[in-house]
C-alpha cells in the first residue's frame, strides 16, 4: 500500500493542472474529463453553488462552459503547490478571475476541485478531502 501512496507523490501535479488548462482552452471535453477520477467531485461557488459528481455530472457542468469561451478564457494567473494539491488562479470561461483548488487520487487523476471567485479562501476547503473521497 505504501507504493501506491509513493506513486501519488511522484507524479507532477502542476503538469496535470496545466494539462487541465490546455484541455479547457482547446475546448476538448473528452481530454478534460479523462483527467478526472471516475468518482471525482467538483464544487463551484462562482455564483450559485453547484456540485457535480462522476463523469456524467462533470460533463453536464463543463459542456456549456467550453462551448462559450471569452477571448481571454482560461488564462493562467498563478499556480501554487500546496500540501493538499494545487491551487490555481485563472480566468474562467467568462474571463473572470477564479481560484480553484485541486486534490488528486492515488492514480494521478483529479479527485476533487473547489472553485470560487478569486480572493475566497479555498485552500482550507481541500483539507481532509482524501477522507471525504474514500
Amino acid at each position: 500500500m505504501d507504493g501506491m501512496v509513493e506513486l501519488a507523490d511522484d507524479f507532477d501535479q502542476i503538469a496535470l493542472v496545466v494539462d487541465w488548462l490546455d484541455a479547457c482552452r482547446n475546448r476538448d471535453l473528452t481530454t478534460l474529463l479523462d483527467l478526472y477520477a471516475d468518482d471525482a467531485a467538483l464544487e463551484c461557488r462562482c455564483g450559485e453553488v453547484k456540485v457535480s459528481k462522476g463523469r456524467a455530472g462533470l460533463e453536464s457542468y463543463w459542456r456549456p462552459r467550453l462551448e462559450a469561451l471569452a477571448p481571454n478564457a482560461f488564462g493562467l494567473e498563478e499556480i501554487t503547490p500546496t500540501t493538499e494539491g494545487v491551487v490555481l488562479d485563472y480566468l474562467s470561461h467568462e474571463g473572470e478571475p477564479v481560484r480553484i483548488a485541486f486534490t488528486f487520487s492515488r492514480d494521478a487523476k483529479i479527485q476533487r476541485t473547489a472553485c470560487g471567485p478569486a480572493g475566497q479562501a479555498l485552500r482550507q476547503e481541500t483539507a481532509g478531502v482524501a477522507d471525504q473521497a474514500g
Side-chain angles (χ1 to χ4, degrees):
M1 192 160 236
D2 288 337
M4 287 177 28
V5 173
E6 290 174 19
L7 178 64
D9 292 339
D10 286 346
F11 81 94
D12 188 341
Q13 296 177 349
I14 290 177
L16 183 58
V17 172
V18 171
D19 290 345
W20 180 90
L21 268 176
D22 288 342
C24 291
R25 284 185 195 127
N26 294 325
R27 300 178 185 203
D28 187 344
L29 183 60
T30 301
T31 297
L32 178 64
L33 295 175
D34 287 346
L35 296 173
Y36 286 89
D38 292 339
D39 60 346
L42 173 155
E43 181 178 346
C44 178
R45 297 184 194 167
C46 302
E48 182 180 326
V49 175
K50 296 177 184 79
V51 176
S52 302
K53 294 183 180 180
R55 190 173 180 98
L58 295 171
E59 182 175 353
S60 68
Y61 176 85
W62 279 113
R63 182 176 299 282
R65 287 162 177 79
L66 295 181
E67 289 174 352
L69 296 184
N72 60 344
F74 298 103
L76 173 63
E77 298 288 308
E78 185 175 349
I79 190 166
T80 309
T82 68
T83 56
E84 296 87 21
V86 173
V87 171
L88 171 68
D89 290 336
Y90 73 103
L91 300 177
S92 74
H93 68 287
E94 298 172 322
E96 298 297 323
V98 172
R99 173 167 287 175
I100 185 169
F102 293 82
T103 58
F104 303 94
S105 67
R106 292 179 184 215
D107 60 346
K109 298 281 190 173
I110 299 167
Q111 185 65 55
R112 180 174 185 267
T113 58
C115 68
Q120 289 185 356
L122 291 175
R123 292 174 197 244
Q124 294 82 12
E125 298 295 324
T126 60
V129 166
D131 295 335
Q132 295 171 9

